[in-house]
């Protein structure tokens, strides 16, 4: 918004900026050019910088040394992908051999809009199974044959920049 002065050569400019919700700092250069009554121009540049937000501490780790424990596959686990690139890892021991299905869901509000699930063997690098959207509504549904007593890791992450809350359930198929 530009408000002209009352003939004194003074005026005001109001600039509105939206909040920076990214973790990255952003800057912009605003250039103002005025013209005097004699026709000469004066240009002023102003740099506006907004620092990024500090991400919340991670609710679950993202590796074989930093993870959340999933003590019973008969209970659901929940978590939050808090920033773009965040990953949550859950460590569990298969209670019985057979085909297991891990399905993500999201709450009605604040949910992870697009989840990806990857099941790893105990070493954390061998992919057992992975899925993006088979669970419907852009949620994963990972299916794999597990061996009783073996340790596995389930990684949950958002697709590209997706963030939000999620719940994962595990079901053993008959």
């Amino acid at each position: 918004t530009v408000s002209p002065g009352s003939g004194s050569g003074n005026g005001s400019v109001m600039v509105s900026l939206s909040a920076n919700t990214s973790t990255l700092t952003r800057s912009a250069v605003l250039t103002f050019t005025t013209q005097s009554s004699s026709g000469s121009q004066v240009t002023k540049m102003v740099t506006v910088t907004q620092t990024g937000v500090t991400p919340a501490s991670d609710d679950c780790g993202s590796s074989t040394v930093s993870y959340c424990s999933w003590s019973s596959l008969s209970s659901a686990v929940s978590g939050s992908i808090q920033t773009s690139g965040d990953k949550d890892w859950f460590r569990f021991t298969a209670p019985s051999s057979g085909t297991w299905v891990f399905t993500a869901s999201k709450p009605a509000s604040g949910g992870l809009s697009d989840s990806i699930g990857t099941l790893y063997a105990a070493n954390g690098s061998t992919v057992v199974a992975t899925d993006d959207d088979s669970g419907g509504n852009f949620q994963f549904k990972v299916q794999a044959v597990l061996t009783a007593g073996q340790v596995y890791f389930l990684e949950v992450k958002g697709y590209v920049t997706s963030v939000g809350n999620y719940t994962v359930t595990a079901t053993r198929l008959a």
Side-chain angles (χ1 to χ4, degrees), residues 70 77 81 88 90 92 100-106 112-119 129-143 153-159 165-170:
W70 192 350
V77 291
I81 300 302
D88 289 349
F90 294 92
F92 65 91
W100 285 82
V101 179
F102 300 87
T103 307
S105 61
K106 60 184 174 181
L112 180 58
S113 60
D114 192 349
S115 64
I116 299 173
T118 304
L119 185 65
T130 189
D131 185 69
D132 186 1
D133 295 332
S134 294
N137 203 21
F138 298 103
Q139 300 300 298
F140 71 79
K141 185 177 185 178
V142 174
Q143 183 171 315
F153 289 93
L154 179 68
E155 175 191 78
V156 179
K157 65 182 180 180
Y159 178 74
N165 301 319
Y166 63 87
T167 298
V168 179
T169 57

Side-chain angles (χ1 to χ4, degrees), residues 19-79:
N20 183 6
T21 58
S22 168
T23 57
L24 303 175
T25 297
R26 65 182 182 183
S27 296
V29 176
L30 305 175
T31 304
F32 300 95
T33 303
T34 60
Q35 188 168 351
S36 70
S37 58
S38 65
S40 63
Q41 289 188 339
V42 176
T43 300
K44 296 286 184 183
M45 294 189 300
V46 177
T47 302
V48 178
T49 301
Q50 291 179 311
T51 57
V53 295
T54 303
S57 61
D58 197 11
D59 61 327
C60 277
S62 58
S63 71
T64 58
V65 295
S66 174
Y67 54 83
C68 285
S69 293
W70 192 350
S71 57
S72 173
L73 294 186
S74 62
S75 299
V77 291
S78 297

